[in-house]
Amino acid sequence: MPVTLRDIAEKVGYSITTVSRALAGYDDVAEETRRLILQTAQEMGYHPNIPARQLQRRRTDTLGFVIATFGPRFSDPFLSELLAGIGNEAARHEFDLLVATHPPRSANELHAYRRLVRGRRVDGLIITRTRVHDERIAYLLEQKVPFATFGRSEVEGDFPWVDVDGEAGLVQVTRHLIQQGHRRIAIILPPADLMFSRFREAGFRRAMAESELPVQEAWVTWGDLTEQGGYQAARRLLDQHPAPTAIIAGNDVMAIGAIRAAREHGLTVGREIAIAGFDDIPMAEHTTPPLTTLRQPIYEIGRRLCRMLIALLRGETLEHPHVLLQPELVIRQSTVPEA
Amino acid sequence: MPVTLRDIAEKVGYSITTVSRALAGYDDVAEETRRLILQTAQEMGYHPNIPARQLQRRRTDTLGFVIATFGPRFSDPFLSELLAGIGNEAARHEFDLLVATHPPRSANELHAYRRLVRGRRVDGLIITRTRVHDERIAYLLEQKVPFATFGRSEVEGDFPWVDVDGEAGLVQVTRHLIQQGHRRIAIILPPADLMFSRFREAGFRRAMAESELPVQEAWVTWGDLTEQGGYQAARRLLDQHPAPTAIIAGNDVMAIGAIRAAREHGLTVGREIAIAGFDDIPMAEHTTPPLTTLRQPIYEIGRRLCRMLIALLRGETLEHPHVLLQPELVIRQSTVPEA
DNA sequence: ATTATATTCCAAAACGTTTTGGATGTCAAG
DNA sequence: CTTGACATCCAAAACGTTTTGGAATATAAT
């Protein structure tokens, strides 16, 4: 039913080849012929059949992005924003985006990657939240499928990445808290198998050491990046004696959970306890009190990763294949009591 | 480089046809032959080329979902959860999901749909937040592309949908507030061009009329479903004299904004002012105070829409092509002060 | 022995595109 | 008049799959 090159060819009386080449803009088509073909194609409502083109060109102009959904719920603002950045940039380059979802760290996570790669559904993929010994990266390297990651990796191999300097970030925020007079500082780290958890821990320890403050090992904890996780971890921290006077959470979502825990403990956040996050999600400036956090431009990173990957696919060599951005400390009332 | 049917055929000494049919499970292949072919395919690491299959089968086993991103940011928990539901269910049926993003109500919204439809990239689409005179629906009906929607529509045409009875929901929550002793009740509706805005408004008015309470027209306002939007609308409401003692927000995200506005106004939410939302996003039970809201099972609806659409694509007739779910009133401390 | 019926196989066409490697015709230069 | 250069066109192959419409052989029924 849909119009094909053959239909146009028959109508205008030229070969399929010529029609194809006219539409593709080759210069071995007479100007007048081209005009006729273009107009006819327009009139007949021609649009190329993409699967056919993909088959012939042996590429799909499609990117893959696999999202981990937490249980039945996925409302991680981090992933949403990244997705928006990737998606909007992909659209700008006329690329499509194939999204696969799956429960996190499930057996079918790799299955999702294999599906996309084996079926030649995508030309490249974007990976986020790189992990220690990341099997996704290992797989894609082994399969020689182009990809770009948000986050560094210790896996050997050459691939572009963008990352935010979590170590420097944690040095900043820890120093800030120390400057505010805090000595008993706790931290709720992201899951330890995530690469950025390591960097942030290192930054925290470095800043504490620098001020010759001891790191209470009981105050170094981990949370699963959800509100619940932050809440629970913070509760455990606040139940201790002595309790910390400041908590740094691995992301804003956990920080929001920590705020709730602190409030339940009867503490005034900002005054009796300081709480800081990481990300600067839109909600961060609207919590009560507004959240001190480290801003990372997630949306922009999504766009950038997408651009890098597409450049890679086009065979261009990247000027800066590895980008390390500095997070920006945004100080709000959750660590600095109102004047 | 990748293994094709031809490679297997040459290796085992049968025709491409037989290899194809053996792998597809037809019964006109000898048992022994099939075993040989299956094993060889396995050994050689065969995986079908999906674009080739799509071309031949004239279907893609792929669904499309277009997401409106708000400005550069998209962190709408509603959309995230719906996406998770759709994505996980699609994976269960071996369907892929093509996601397109675009700024809301931009000219290229329809462009995104056209792109997916014209290029025959997808077999069907899922639409959410149906609008009055929805041009997306009109377009898909005109193109005879299967789709399913979250939300009803007044556009003529037959297509499956799932919706939540917003009118009944608003009757419930309004009654609840009236029962709590509120007389001056305001509402922040979703944008008026969204179908569900109409239903909710009707429910609100019905419940008010039923108790012979006047609806202050200045207290019927609209917000853009963001935290900011809810905050601003609530501020305007609270600046009035007399101010409402209860505010019903069009979704939880706006309710969170309203809570912030109320707090800034020096009001204790739950006690001096009641605030209710709609959706019951994960964050709702973790706000301060926890939010009274109408729960709609967004994740499940995503799955259901996906199932309906796939059934439709398979030519099955749906038992219940139109599903109207009842939202569940979840009463928390934002409307009922703590004991 | 012949016919009918299964069983197992496959050549070829088709899906709609892009690309290769010329073919044809025209025109200016020699 | 020939040659070469250019401009314009196209037949055919290829991408990798599925499906159609039998062919070939073996087995059972007459």
Side-chain angles (χ1 to χ4, degrees), chain A residues 136-144 147 155-159:
Chain A
R136 304 169 297 173
I137 295 181
Y139 173 68
L140 294 183
L141 283 171
E142 177 207 322
Q143 299 290 316
K144 299 195 200 314
F147 66 99
V155 174
E156 284 293 327
D158 190 34
F159 55 88

Side-chain angles (χ1 to χ4, degrees), chain A residues 62 72 88 101 120 263 288 299, chain B residues 47 72 88 101 263 288 299:
Chain A
T62 301
N88 286 344
T101 62
R120 268 130 293 170
R263 187 171 294 132
T288 310
Y299 179 84
Chain B
H47 294 282
N88 286 344
T101 63
R263 187 171 292 132
T288 310
Y299 178 84

Side-chain angles (χ1 to χ4, degrees), chain B residues 37-97:
Chain B
I37 289 175
L38 254 46
Q39 188 184 335
T40 310
Q42 170 90 23
E43 282 170 10
M44 296 177 77
Y46 171 75
H47 294 282
N49 179 309
I50 304 295
R53 174 180 282 178
Q54 291 177 346
L55 172 61
Q56 150 67 32
R57 284 192 178 160
R58 259 144 311 203
R59 63 189 160 87
T60 59
D61 292 335
T62 302
L63 304 181
F65 184 49
V66 178
I67 297 180
T69 65
F70 281 81
R73 324 206 88 174
F74 143 58
S75 67
D76 190 326
F78 173 91
L79 292 176
S80 306
E81 267 198 62
L82 193 63
L83 176 61
I86 296 170
N88 286 344
E89 187 68 15
R92 269 180 23 92
H93 297 275
E94 305 259 88
F95 267 68
D96 287 314
L97 185 63

Side-chain angles (χ1 to χ4, degrees), chain A:
Chain A
M1 196 69 67
V3 182
T4 69
L5 287 182
R6 163 191 293 271
D7 298 329
I8 302 178
E10 276 168 11
K11 178 100 166 214
V12 298
Y14 286 100
S15 72
I16 292 177
T17 304
T18 299
V19 173
S20 173
R21 296 182 73 83
L23 292 172
Y26 283 80
D27 64 358
D28 63 351
V29 178
E31 203 35 64
E32 196 182 348
T33 311
R34 174 197 316 286
R35 259 200 304 277
L36 173 63
I37 290 174
L38 254 47
Q39 189 185 335
T40 308
Q42 170 89 25
E43 283 169 9
M44 297 178 75
Y46 171 76
H47 294 283
N49 179 309
I50 304 295
R53 173 180 283 177
Q54 290 177 347
L55 172 60
Q56 151 66 32
R57 283 192 178 159
R58 259 143 312 206
R59 64 190 160 86
T60 59
D61 292 335
T62 301
L63 305 181
F65 184 50
V66 178
I67 298 180
T69 63
F70 280 82
R73 322 207 89 174
F74 142 59
S75 66
D76 190 326
F78 174 91
L79 292 176
S80 305
E81 266 197 63
L82 193 63
L83 176 60
I86 296 170
N88 286 344
E89 187 68 15
R92 268 177 27 89
H93 296 274
E94 305 259 271
F95 266 68
D96 286 313
L97 186 63
L98 213 43
V99 170
T101 62
H102 70 96
R105 249 148 288 193
S106 64
N108 36 11
E109 174 180 25
L110 255 192
H111 183 260
Y113 283 89
R114 274 197 284 263
R115 210 182 132 70
L116 295 177
V117 170
R118 287 170 170 173
R120 268 130 293 170
R121 301 285 279 122
V122 300
D123 297 334
L125 295 114
I126 289 177
I127 285 182
T128 185
R129 290 186 174 155
T130 50
R131 306 201 275 262
V132 184
H133 306 311
D134 201 313
E135 54 180 352
R136 304 169 297 173
I137 295 181
Y139 173 68
L140 294 183
L141 283 171
E142 177 207 322
Q143 299 290 316
K144 299 195 200 314
V145 178
F147 66 99
T149 67
F150 186 170
R152 285 160 279 178
S153 167
E154 16 66 273
V155 174
E156 284 293 327
D158 190 34
F159 55 88
W161 51 259
V162 176
D163 202 359
V164 168
D165 192 339
E167 178 165 355
L170 260 100
V171 167
Q172 274 190 80
V173 67
T174 309
R175 276 187 193 152
H176 161 67
L177 290 170
I178 294 172
Q179 212 163 23
Q180 291 290 309
H182 293 280
R183 292 292 170 270
R184 306 207 302 272
I185 305 177
I187 186 166
I188 306 173
L189 287 165
D193 63 332
L194 296 180
M195 284 298 290
F196 68 89
S197 185
R198 310 294 173 98
F199 294 115
R200 300 205 187 157
E201 180 171 359
F204 173 65
R205 292 188 186 275
R206 177 145 72 85
M208 292 295 275
E210 179 186 279
S211 296
E212 294 177 356
L213 291 175
V215 172
Q216 274 270 11
E217 289 310 319
W219 293 348
V220 177
T221 62
W222 287 265
D224 65 2
L225 296 176
T226 68
E227 207 271 355
Q228 277 291 340
Y231 171 78
Q232 285 158 359
R235 272 188 60 150
R236 281 193 302 273
L237 288 172
L238 295 172
D239 279 339
Q240 301 184 18
H241 300 282
T245 65
I247 297 178
I248 303 170
N251 65 352
D252 288 349
V253 176
M254 287 204 293
I256 291 173
I259 289 178
R260 180 163 64 98
R263 187 171 294 132
E264 274 190 25
H265 251 256
L267 299 168
T268 307
V269 176
R271 212 161 256 306
E272 295 166 291
I273 183 159
I275 293 178
F278 203 114
D279 282 350
D280 197 31
I281 60 175
M283 179 67 76
E285 57 176 321
H286 302 136
T287 55
T288 310
L291 190 64
T292 290
T293 189
L294 288 154
R295 172 178 303 158
Q296 45 179 348
I298 304 173
Y299 179 84
E300 279 307 325
I301 290 173
R303 294 190 49 184
R304 189 153 187 171
L305 282 170
C306 194
R307 262 202 308 280
M308 287 166 93
L309 182 52
I310 289 176
L312 193 68
L313 292 173
R314 296 200 167 134
E316 302 166 17
T317 37
L318 302 174
E319 279 185 60
H320 306 289
H322 304 146
V323 179
L324 188 61
L325 302 173
Q326 290 306 312
E328 179 196 347
L329 179 62
V330 180
I331 298 175
R332 300 205 182 92
Q333 285 82 58
S334 72
T335 60
V336 178
E338 284 170 302

